[in-house]
Amino acid sequence: MADGAIFDHATNLFVFAGVPLLQGRTAGTNFTFAYKHQRATAMNDVDAAGYYATNDDRSATMTLVCLPNSDDNTILGNAFALWEASPIKYVFPVMIKYGLCAYTGNCLITVTPPLEMSDAATTVTWTFESTRAIGLRLGAAAAPLAPV
């Protein structure tokens, strides 16, 4: 039996404030997640003695790339407008699932996407910042593609 990984809306989720996004996504890369800093740094002395300096900085940056007509733009635009108008600046909970990987944390939309008018196809890129995103990176569950 041949095995492979299946990635679709059931295994790839970006849930922002309880709302699953990634509807009306672009072809190719449509979501990124990356920690901002290394968790450990190797330190070596001149006599070859070494140690590792670790930190608990789990700040991360996320981007979501949508089509201009995606409902996600309305959801995120309203969330940002609500945040700007509110006297209490709160953060939005997020959950990211990709195959067997899962990350959770709180984030803010740091800037709204620029407005672009064009006669060609365009995209809308949203950027999120999190001060602490906890999770783990694993592989993808193997699923049969076709019986042999």
Side-chain angles (χ1 to χ4, degrees):
M1 179 182 297
D3 285 334
I6 297 175
F7 292 97
D8 57 18
H9 283 294
T11 58
N12 298 336
L13 291 175
F14 177 56
V15 180
F16 176 82
V19 179
L21 300 182
L22 295 179
Q23 304 299 319
R25 39 184 197 173
T26 61
T29 302
N30 49 57
F31 182 79
T32 63
F33 171 91
Y35 283 118
K36 293 182 180 181
H37 304 285
Q38 296 180 169
R39 296 291 309 283
T41 304
M43 309 296 279
N44 290 318
D45 294 331
V46 292
D47 62 355
Y51 64 95
Y52 294 94
T54 62
N55 66 62
D56 200 26
D57 183 350
R58 294 182 186 230
S59 57
T61 300
M62 296 160 271
T63 60
L64 175 66
V65 184
C66 302
L67 295 172
N69 62 345
S70 172
D71 290 340
D72 292 353
N73 295 314
T74 302
I75 294 166
L76 295 171
N78 286 335
F80 187 78
L82 178 67
W83 181 83
E84 278 193 322
S86 174
I88 300 170
K89 300 303 182 193
Y90 49 86
V91 293
F92 297 99
V94 293
M95 190 275 293
I96 300 126
K97 183 176 180 290
Y98 178 72
L100 298 178
C101 307
Y103 296 90
T104 60
N106 292 320
C107 75
L108 286 178
I109 300 169
T110 53
V111 65
T112 55
L115 178 62
E116 181 180 347
M117 295 184 184
S118 173
D119 59 355
T122 61
T123 58
V124 179
T125 302
W126 293 88
T127 302
F128 309 86
E129 299 286 335
S130 176
T131 58
R132 187 160 179 81
I134 306 297
L136 67 147
R137 173 91 163 111
L138 299 172
L145 295 179
V148 177

